[in-house]
Amino acid sequence: MTVKLKVWVSRPLFPEVLARLAEYVDVQAEAVERPHSAAELKEKLAGVDGAIVALSDRVDASVLEGNRRLKVLANLGVGYNNLDVEALTRAGVLASNTPEVLNESVADYAWALMLAAARRVGAAERWLRAGQWAGSRMRFDDWLGLDVHGRTLGILGMGRIGQAIARRAAGFDMRVLYHNRSRLPEPVERECRATLVGKPELLRQADFLVLVLPFTPENRHAIGAAELAQMKRTAVLVNIARGGIVDDAALAEALRDGRLAAAGLDVFEGEPVVHPDLLLLDNVVLSPHIASASEDTRRGMANIAVDNVLAALGYGEAAGKPPTPLNPAVMNRWKAPKA
Ligand code: GLV
């Protein structure tokens, strides 16, 4: 009897996706969603051949120390700042993420936050639900928000998600400016109707500034007090990238003092804890890191994680060819995968 390889899944996942994994390997899936300490991760990862983890699981050199067994670690997310990829590479572990599948859903959500923040959807709903409409003598000039159409959209970080956000702007007749490490190829710029500008100009010109940067040490507080001070008082800031890219304390101050009109935030420094000053403000729309959370996309992400694990462990049609590896060279150091 052959002993099945073991895969740990750090959180509950769609049953049919887990069932697909279980056709090949022994699956140990956590039944409850909760963060795991470094010590727990170390212990869990030491006893398995593969693992599926997510943003709240921080896998670094200390977690991998002494691990001789783990072969593949699939991250449920396109961003992977929770992983020390160099340490994984040194440990001979293939890491993967879930790019592309979520681009359009995250772009939809960026627009949801832009529109909701500009038109005060959250605050208006809270007011209505609190029973304040009836008998309020709501005035014709109450609840005035900002128009989105015809304004200038600024995108900081113009990868695939940024481009998907830009393409949607055509329907709103917006001018699109972007800032990125490198200029997009001209046909892509044309398709997105987007113009490259420097960061200071982007900050000065944007009526809506959407952040789609990866979280790296250089991008920490890419939008802080100094950057906020350069923005229009009528501007709206949207962060769907990562907490920590924005200095949340400085943002709360700017929103409170009327130096920025509104914000839409899906990610937070120190999430799931949200800066208490943000919670006090009505001109910010807050959501619990759900930009990719559509039915189809979250299933798609889970399936890609499973595809990476199975392929890396040598199972299925794509055996030996994980679809979205972060450090594929690691596989050259393995013995030939099981056919
Ligand atoms: C979500 O935040 C992701 O990185 O996919």
Side-chain angles (χ1 to χ4, degrees), residues 20-61:
R20 195 162 67 81
L21 186 60
E23 281 174 31
Y24 300 92
V25 297
D26 179 4
V27 178
Q28 303 173 349
E30 295 294 323
V32 176
E33 178 89 33
R34 67 176 177 88
H36 299 95
S37 67
E40 278 178 300
L41 283 172
K42 187 171 180 170
E43 191 198 317
K44 292 284 184 192
L45 297 179
V48 292
D49 305 281
I52 296 179
V53 299
L55 184 61
S56 61
D57 303 313
R58 307 198 65 81
V59 180
D60 57 17

mmCIF file of all heavy atoms in Angstrom, residues 20-61:
data_model
loop_
_atom_site.group_PDB
_atom_site.id
_atom_site.type_symbol
_atom_site.label_atom_id
_atom_site.label_comp_id
_atom_site.label_asym_id
_atom_site.label_seq_id
_atom_site.Cartn_x
_atom_site.Cartn_y
_atom_site.Cartn_z
ATOM 1 N N ARG A 20 -11.323 17.645 -4.495
ATOM 2 C CA ARG A 20 -10.439 17.405 -5.646
ATOM 3 C C ARG A 20 -9.008 17.128 -5.165
ATOM 4 O O ARG A 20 -8.325 16.243 -5.673
ATOM 5 C CB ARG A 20 -10.468 18.640 -6.568
ATOM 6 C CG ARG A 20 -9.890 18.399 -7.939
ATOM 7 C CD ARG A 20 -10.342 19.467 -8.907
ATOM 8 N NE ARG A 20 -9.812 20.784 -8.623
ATOM 9 C CZ ARG A 20 -8.600 21.183 -8.984
ATOM 10 N NH1 ARG A 20 -7.794 20.368 -9.629
ATOM 11 N NH2 ARG A 20 -8.194 22.404 -8.699
ATOM 12 N N LEU A 21 -8.604 17.868 -4.155
ATOM 13 C CA LEU A 21 -7.270 17.666 -3.583
ATOM 14 C C LEU A 21 -7.186 16.276 -2.942
ATOM 15 O O LEU A 21 -6.192 15.552 -3.091
ATOM 16 C CB LEU A 21 -7.021 18.768 -2.540
ATOM 17 C CG LEU A 21 -5.667 18.894 -1.885
ATOM 18 C CD1 LEU A 21 -4.561 19.145 -2.917
ATOM 19 C CD2 LEU A 21 -5.673 20.039 -0.854
ATOM 20 N N ALA A 22 -8.285 15.921 -2.274
ATOM 21 C CA ALA A 22 -8.311 14.648 -1.525
ATOM 22 C C ALA A 22 -8.326 13.421 -2.436
ATOM 23 O O ALA A 22 -8.119 12.306 -1.970
ATOM 24 C CB ALA A 22 -9.507 14.624 -0.585
ATOM 25 N N GLU A 23 -8.587 13.613 -3.731
ATOM 26 C CA GLU A 23 -8.493 12.469 -4.650
ATOM 27 C C GLU A 23 -7.057 11.947 -4.720
ATOM 28 O O GLU A 23 -6.815 10.801 -5.078
ATOM 29 C CB GLU A 23 -8.904 12.894 -6.067
ATOM 30 C CG GLU A 23 -10.399 12.986 -6.267
ATOM 31 C CD GLU A 23 -10.730 13.562 -7.636
ATOM 32 O OE1 GLU A 23 -9.946 13.350 -8.591
ATOM 33 O OE2 GLU A 23 -11.761 14.239 -7.730
ATOM 34 N N TYR A 24 -6.098 12.826 -4.412
ATOM 35 C CA TYR A 24 -4.690 12.442 -4.569
ATOM 36 C C TYR A 24 -3.920 12.343 -3.258
ATOM 37 O O TYR A 24 -3.001 11.558 -3.134
ATOM 38 C CB TYR A 24 -3.962 13.460 -5.452
ATOM 39 C CG TYR A 24 -4.538 13.582 -6.838
ATOM 40 C CD1 TYR A 24 -5.522 14.525 -7.125
ATOM 41 C CD2 TYR A 24 -4.099 12.735 -7.857
ATOM 42 C CE1 TYR A 24 -6.052 14.630 -8.409
ATOM 43 C CE2 TYR A 24 -4.624 12.839 -9.139
ATOM 44 C CZ TYR A 24 -5.602 13.783 -9.401
ATOM 45 O OH TYR A 24 -6.114 13.879 -10.658
ATOM 46 N N VAL A 25 -4.273 13.226 -2.314
ATOM 47 C CA VAL A 25 -3.435 13.323 -1.107
ATOM 48 C C VAL A 25 -4.302 13.238 0.146
ATOM 49 O O VAL A 25 -5.524 13.370 0.077
ATOM 50 C CB VAL A 25 -2.639 14.656 -1.082
ATOM 51 C CG1 VAL A 25 -1.666 14.728 -2.245
ATOM 52 C CG2 VAL A 25 -3.576 15.859 -1.082
ATOM 53 N N ASP A 26 -3.634 13.070 1.250
ATOM 54 C CA ASP A 26 -4.297 13.076 2.543
ATOM 55 C C ASP A 26 -4.418 14.552 2.973
ATOM 56 O O ASP A 26 -3.409 15.217 3.204
ATOM 57 C CB ASP A 26 -3.397 12.272 3.498
ATOM 58 C CG ASP A 26 -3.947 12.211 4.885
ATOM 59 O OD1 ASP A 26 -5.061 12.711 5.103
ATOM 60 O OD2 ASP A 26 -3.240 11.674 5.759
ATOM 61 N N VAL A 27 -5.653 15.053 3.044
ATOM 62 C CA VAL A 27 -5.867 16.479 3.313
ATOM 63 C C VAL A 27 -6.157 16.705 4.791
ATOM 64 O O VAL A 27 -7.049 16.069 5.359
ATOM 65 C CB VAL A 27 -7.053 17.020 2.471
ATOM 66 C CG1 VAL A 27 -7.307 18.494 2.781
ATOM 67 C CG2 VAL A 27 -6.783 16.832 0.981
ATOM 68 N N GLN A 28 -5.388 17.625 5.371
ATOM 69 C CA GLN A 28 -5.677 18.042 6.747
ATOM 70 C C GLN A 28 -6.101 19.503 6.667
ATOM 71 O O GLN A 28 -5.250 20.394 6.563
ATOM 72 C CB GLN A 28 -4.426 17.934 7.605
ATOM 73 C CG GLN A 28 -3.839 16.539 7.616
ATOM 74 C CD GLN A 28 -2.504 16.487 8.337
ATOM 75 O OE1 GLN A 28 -1.910 17.511 8.660
ATOM 76 N NE2 GLN A 28 -2.040 15.284 8.583
ATOM 77 N N ALA A 29 -7.417 19.745 6.657
ATOM 78 C CA ALA A 29 -7.908 21.122 6.501
ATOM 79 C C ALA A 29 -8.425 21.636 7.837
ATOM 80 O O ALA A 29 -9.189 20.949 8.518
ATOM 81 C CB ALA A 29 -9.007 21.167 5.454
ATOM 82 N N GLU A 30 -7.991 22.818 8.203
ATOM 83 C CA GLU A 30 -8.492 23.426 9.433
ATOM 84 C C GLU A 30 -9.980 23.723 9.262
ATOM 85 O O GLU A 30 -10.410 24.191 8.194
ATOM 86 C CB GLU A 30 -7.744 24.731 9.730
ATOM 87 C CG GLU A 30 -6.272 24.535 10.026
ATOM 88 C CD GLU A 30 -6.024 23.753 11.318
ATOM 89 O OE1 GLU A 30 -6.780 23.944 12.284
ATOM 90 O OE2 GLU A 30 -5.076 22.938 11.340
ATOM 91 N N ALA A 31 -10.751 23.484 10.299
ATOM 92 C CA ALA A 31 -12.191 23.675 10.209
ATOM 93 C C ALA A 31 -12.598 25.100 10.573
ATOM 94 O O ALA A 31 -13.715 25.531 10.332
ATOM 95 C CB ALA A 31 -12.894 22.696 11.128
ATOM 96 N N VAL A 32 -11.654 25.835 11.178
ATOM 97 C CA VAL A 32 -11.986 27.181 11.667
ATOM 98 C C VAL A 32 -10.985 28.177 11.085
ATOM 99 O O VAL A 32 -9.790 27.893 11.007
ATOM 100 C CB VAL A 32 -11.902 27.202 13.218
ATOM 101 C CG1 VAL A 32 -12.153 28.595 13.756
ATOM 102 C CG2 VAL A 32 -12.889 26.215 13.812
ATOM 103 N N GLU A 33 -11.481 29.334 10.711
ATOM 104 C CA GLU A 33 -10.629 30.397 10.187
ATOM 105 C C GLU A 33 -10.000 31.133 11.371
ATOM 106 O O GLU A 33 -10.712 31.699 12.196
ATOM 107 C CB GLU A 33 -11.515 31.356 9.375
ATOM 108 C CG GLU A 33 -10.801 32.550 8.783
ATOM 109 C CD GLU A 33 -10.233 32.261 7.414
ATOM 110 O OE1 GLU A 33 -10.842 31.468 6.667
ATOM 111 O OE2 GLU A 33 -9.179 32.838 7.096
ATOM 112 N N ARG A 34 -8.697 31.110 11.487
ATOM 113 C CA ARG A 34 -8.029 31.838 12.576
ATOM 114 C C ARG A 34 -6.555 31.995 12.221
ATOM 115 O O ARG A 34 -6.009 31.212 11.425
ATOM 116 C CB ARG A 34 -8.188 31.103 13.908
ATOM 117 C CG ARG A 34 -7.458 29.780 13.933
ATOM 118 C CD ARG A 34 -7.545 29.106 15.285
ATOM 119 N NE ARG A 34 -6.884 27.800 15.243
ATOM 120 C CZ ARG A 34 -5.583 27.612 15.472
ATOM 121 N NH1 ARG A 34 -4.798 28.632 15.770
ATOM 122 N NH2 ARG A 34 -5.061 26.400 15.404
ATOM 123 N N PRO A 35 -5.915 33.018 12.778
ATOM 124 C CA PRO A 35 -4.491 33.167 12.498
ATOM 125 C C PRO A 35 -3.687 32.083 13.201
ATOM 126 O O PRO A 35 -4.122 31.554 14.230
ATOM 127 C CB PRO A 35 -4.144 34.549 13.071
ATOM 128 C CG PRO A 35 -5.340 35.013 13.815
ATOM 129 C CD PRO A 35 -6.459 34.045 13.662
ATOM 130 N N HIS A 36 -2.545 31.747 12.653
ATOM 131 C CA HIS A 36 -1.678 30.748 13.284
ATOM 132 C C HIS A 36 -0.380 31.409 13.703
ATOM 133 O O HIS A 36 0.190 32.202 12.948
ATOM 134 C CB HIS A 36 -1.389 29.602 12.305
ATOM 135 C CG HIS A 36 -2.623 28.881 11.878
ATOM 136 N ND1 HIS A 36 -3.307 29.187 10.721
ATOM 137 C CD2 HIS A 36 -3.334 27.897 12.489
ATOM 138 C CE1 HIS A 36 -4.360 28.414 10.633
ATOM 139 N NE2 HIS A 36 -4.410 27.623 11.680
ATOM 140 N N SER A 37 0.088 31.056 14.883
ATOM 141 C CA SER A 37 1.352 31.616 15.360
ATOM 142 C C SER A 37 2.496 30.974 14.581
ATOM 143 O O SER A 37 2.321 29.926 13.938
ATOM 144 C CB SER A 37 1.526 31.322 16.855
ATOM 145 O OG SER A 37 1.687 29.923 17.023
ATOM 146 N N ALA A 38 3.677 31.584 14.677
ATOM 147 C CA ALA A 38 4.849 31.036 13.994
ATOM 148 C C ALA A 38 5.119 29.611 14.482
ATOM 149 O O ALA A 38 5.443 28.718 13.685
ATOM 150 C CB ALA A 38 6.052 31.944 14.243
ATOM 151 N N ALA A 39 4.944 29.388 15.784
ATOM 152 C CA ALA A 39 5.215 28.054 16.338
ATOM 153 C C ALA A 39 4.236 27.021 15.773
ATOM 154 O O ALA A 39 4.630 25.900 15.417
ATOM 155 C CB ALA A 39 5.118 28.102 17.870
ATOM 156 N N GLU A 40 2.973 27.428 15.667
ATOM 157 C CA GLU A 40 1.967 26.505 15.099
ATOM 158 C C GLU A 40 2.280 26.203 13.633
ATOM 159 O O GLU A 40 2.197 25.067 13.182
ATOM 160 C CB GLU A 40 0.579 27.142 15.156
ATOM 161 C CG GLU A 40 -0.116 27.029 16.473
ATOM 162 C CD GLU A 40 -1.468 27.736 16.428
ATOM 163 O OE1 GLU A 40 -1.506 28.963 16.169
ATOM 164 O OE2 GLU A 40 -2.476 27.060 16.617
ATOM 165 N N LEU A 41 2.615 27.268 12.892
ATOM 166 C CA LEU A 41 2.922 27.069 11.471
ATOM 167 C C LEU A 41 4.113 26.131 11.326
ATOM 168 O O LEU A 41 4.125 25.239 10.476
ATOM 169 C CB LEU A 41 3.234 28.417 10.796
ATOM 170 C CG LEU A 41 2.030 29.297 10.479
ATOM 171 C CD1 LEU A 41 2.490 30.672 9.989
ATOM 172 C CD2 LEU A 41 1.130 28.645 9.421
ATOM 173 N N LYS A 42 5.120 26.363 12.159
ATOM 174 C CA LYS A 42 6.327 25.532 12.084
ATOM 175 C C LYS A 42 5.968 24.061 12.286
ATOM 176 O O LYS A 42 6.400 23.187 11.516
ATOM 177 C CB LYS A 42 7.329 25.998 13.146
ATOM 178 C CG LYS A 42 8.651 25.325 13.053
ATOM 179 C CD LYS A 42 9.675 25.970 13.960
ATOM 180 C CE LYS A 42 10.972 25.202 13.782
ATOM 181 N NZ LYS A 42 12.086 25.845 14.403
ATOM 182 N N GLU A 43 5.152 23.825 13.288
ATOM 183 C CA GLU A 43 4.774 22.448 13.602
ATOM 184 C C GLU A 43 3.922 21.835 12.479
ATOM 185 O O GLU A 43 4.179 20.718 12.024
ATOM 186 C CB GLU A 43 4.000 22.434 14.922
ATOM 187 C CG GLU A 43 3.803 21.049 15.465
ATOM 188 C CD GLU A 43 2.692 21.019 16.510
ATOM 189 O OE1 GLU A 43 2.649 21.930 17.363
ATOM 190 O OE2 GLU A 43 1.865 20.091 16.437
ATOM 191 N N LYS A 44 2.937 22.603 12.010
ATOM 192 C CA LYS A 44 2.061 22.092 10.940
ATOM 193 C C LYS A 44 2.870 21.785 9.677
ATOM 194 O O LYS A 44 2.694 20.738 9.050
ATOM 195 C CB LYS A 44 0.983 23.119 10.586
ATOM 196 C CG LYS A 44 -0.029 23.342 11.673
ATOM 197 C CD LYS A 44 -1.015 22.190 11.749
ATOM 198 C CE LYS A 44 -2.086 22.452 12.785
ATOM 199 N NZ LYS A 44 -2.868 21.247 13.079
ATOM 200 N N LEU A 45 3.728 22.715 9.293
ATOM 201 C CA LEU A 45 4.445 22.571 8.023
ATOM 202 C C LEU A 45 5.523 21.483 8.090
ATOM 203 O O LEU A 45 5.932 20.943 7.058
ATOM 204 C CB LEU A 45 5.066 23.905 7.590
ATOM 205 C CG LEU A 45 4.055 25.027 7.304
ATOM 206 C CD1 LEU A 45 4.770 26.311 6.896
ATOM 207 C CD2 LEU A 45 3.052 24.622 6.216
ATOM 208 N N ALA A 46 5.953 21.157 9.308
ATOM 209 C CA ALA A 46 6.995 20.127 9.440
ATOM 210 C C ALA A 46 6.450 18.738 9.127
ATOM 211 O O ALA A 46 7.196 17.840 8.738
ATOM 212 C CB ALA A 46 7.564 20.159 10.857
ATOM 213 N N GLY A 47 5.112 18.594 9.244
ATOM 214 C CA GLY A 47 4.549 17.245 9.109
ATOM 215 C C GLY A 47 3.848 16.988 7.790
ATOM 216 O O GLY A 47 3.106 16.016 7.676
ATOM 217 N N VAL A 48 4.033 17.885 6.819
ATOM 218 C CA VAL A 48 3.296 17.713 5.547
ATOM 219 C C VAL A 48 4.221 17.920 4.342
ATOM 220 O O VAL A 48 5.310 18.485 4.451
ATOM 221 C CB VAL A 48 2.098 18.699 5.462
ATOM 222 C CG1 VAL A 48 1.033 18.356 6.483
ATOM 223 C CG2 VAL A 48 2.548 20.146 5.602
ATOM 224 N N ASP A 49 3.712 17.475 3.188
ATOM 225 C CA ASP A 49 4.472 17.623 1.935
ATOM 226 C C ASP A 49 4.069 18.892 1.185
ATOM 227 O O ASP A 49 4.818 19.413 0.374
ATOM 228 C CB ASP A 49 4.214 16.407 1.040
ATOM 229 C CG ASP A 49 4.531 15.123 1.786
ATOM 230 O OD1 ASP A 49 5.726 14.807 1.873
ATOM 231 O OD2 ASP A 49 3.597 14.476 2.326
ATOM 232 N N GLY A 50 2.844 19.348 1.453
ATOM 233 C CA GLY A 50 2.358 20.560 0.802
ATOM 234 C C GLY A 50 1.437 21.314 1.732
ATOM 235 O O GLY A 50 0.936 20.745 2.711
ATOM 236 N N ALA A 51 1.222 22.590 1.426
ATOM 237 C CA ALA A 51 0.324 23.380 2.273
ATOM 238 C C ALA A 51 -0.327 24.471 1.442
ATOM 239 O O ALA A 51 0.237 24.948 0.455
ATOM 240 C CB ALA A 51 1.092 23.993 3.438
ATOM 241 N N ILE A 52 -1.540 24.830 1.868
ATOM 242 C CA ILE A 52 -2.237 25.978 1.278
ATOM 243 C C ILE A 52 -2.463 26.962 2.417
ATOM 244 O O ILE A 52 -3.058 26.612 3.449
ATOM 245 C CB ILE A 52 -3.577 25.545 0.643
ATOM 246 C CG1 ILE A 52 -3.299 24.592 -0.531
ATOM 247 C CG2 ILE A 52 -4.364 26.771 0.170
ATOM 248 C CD1 ILE A 52 -4.539 24.069 -1.235
ATOM 249 N N VAL A 53 -1.940 28.173 2.246
ATOM 250 C CA VAL A 53 -2.015 29.170 3.311
ATOM 251 C C VAL A 53 -2.561 30.477 2.726
ATOM 252 O O VAL A 53 -2.796 30.577 1.527
ATOM 253 C CB VAL A 53 -0.621 29.415 3.953
ATOM 254 C CG1 VAL A 53 -0.061 28.142 4.570
ATOM 255 C CG2 VAL A 53 0.355 30.000 2.919
ATOM 256 N N ALA A 54 -2.724 31.481 3.599
ATOM 257 C CA ALA A 54 -3.194 32.781 3.121
ATOM 258 C C ALA A 54 -2.499 33.889 3.893
ATOM 259 O O ALA A 54 -1.630 33.624 4.738
ATOM 260 C CB ALA A 54 -4.708 32.865 3.232
ATOM 261 N N LEU A 55 -2.919 35.113 3.591
ATOM 262 C CA LEU A 55 -2.204 36.305 4.061
ATOM 263 C C LEU A 55 -1.896 36.336 5.562
ATOM 264 O O LEU A 55 -0.843 36.818 5.975
ATOM 265 C CB LEU A 55 -3.035 37.544 3.673
ATOM 266 C CG LEU A 55 -2.432 38.897 3.982
ATOM 267 C CD1 LEU A 55 -1.116 39.104 3.253
ATOM 268 C CD2 LEU A 55 -3.420 40.009 3.623
ATOM 269 N N SER A 56 -2.809 35.801 6.391
ATOM 270 C CA SER A 56 -2.559 35.890 7.833
ATOM 271 C C SER A 56 -1.538 34.841 8.307
ATOM 272 O O SER A 56 -1.134 34.853 9.474
ATOM 273 C CB SER A 56 -3.879 35.730 8.606
ATOM 274 O OG SER A 56 -4.443 34.463 8.325
ATOM 275 N N ASP A 57 -1.110 33.965 7.407
ATOM 276 C CA ASP A 57 -0.073 32.976 7.765
ATOM 277 C C ASP A 57 1.286 33.504 7.287
ATOM 278 O O ASP A 57 1.529 33.560 6.082
ATOM 279 C CB ASP A 57 -0.365 31.633 7.081
ATOM 280 C CG ASP A 57 -1.745 31.091 7.430
ATOM 281 O OD1 ASP A 57 -2.097 31.098 8.624
ATOM 282 O OD2 ASP A 57 -2.475 30.682 6.501
ATOM 283 N N ARG A 58 2.126 33.889 8.221
ATOM 284 C CA ARG A 58 3.427 34.450 7.845
ATOM 285 C C ARG A 58 4.478 33.336 7.844
ATOM 286 O O ARG A 58 4.800 32.785 8.893
ATOM 287 C CB ARG A 58 3.856 35.551 8.812
ATOM 288 C CG ARG A 58 2.812 36.652 8.994
ATOM 289 C CD ARG A 58 3.433 37.895 9.587
ATOM 290 N NE ARG A 58 4.396 38.469 8.647
ATOM 291 C CZ ARG A 58 4.043 39.231 7.614
ATOM 292 N NH1 ARG A 58 2.786 39.517 7.387
ATOM 293 N NH2 ARG A 58 4.964 39.695 6.793
ATOM 294 N N VAL A 59 4.975 33.040 6.660
ATOM 295 C CA VAL A 59 5.941 31.942 6.548
ATOM 296 C C VAL A 59 7.313 32.528 6.249
ATOM 297 O O VAL A 59 7.567 33.040 5.157
ATOM 298 C CB VAL A 59 5.514 30.942 5.451
ATOM 299 C CG1 VAL A 59 6.520 29.811 5.343
ATOM 300 C CG2 VAL A 59 4.118 30.394 5.749
ATOM 301 N N ASP A 60 8.186 32.471 7.252
ATOM 302 C CA ASP A 60 9.532 33.026 7.092
ATOM 303 C C ASP A 60 10.577 31.963 7.440
ATOM 304 O O ASP A 60 10.247 30.796 7.678
ATOM 305 C CB ASP A 60 9.701 34.289 7.950
ATOM 306 C CG ASP A 60 9.422 34.003 9.419
ATOM 307 O OD1 ASP A 60 9.417 32.822 9.812
ATOM 308 O OD2 ASP A 60 9.215 34.963 10.183
ATOM 309 N N ALA A 61 11.834 32.393 7.501
ATOM 310 C CA ALA A 61 12.930 31.438 7.717
ATOM 311 C C ALA A 61 12.753 30.688 9.033
ATOM 312 O O ALA A 61 13.026 29.477 9.105
ATOM 313 C CB ALA A 61 14.260 32.182 7.685
#
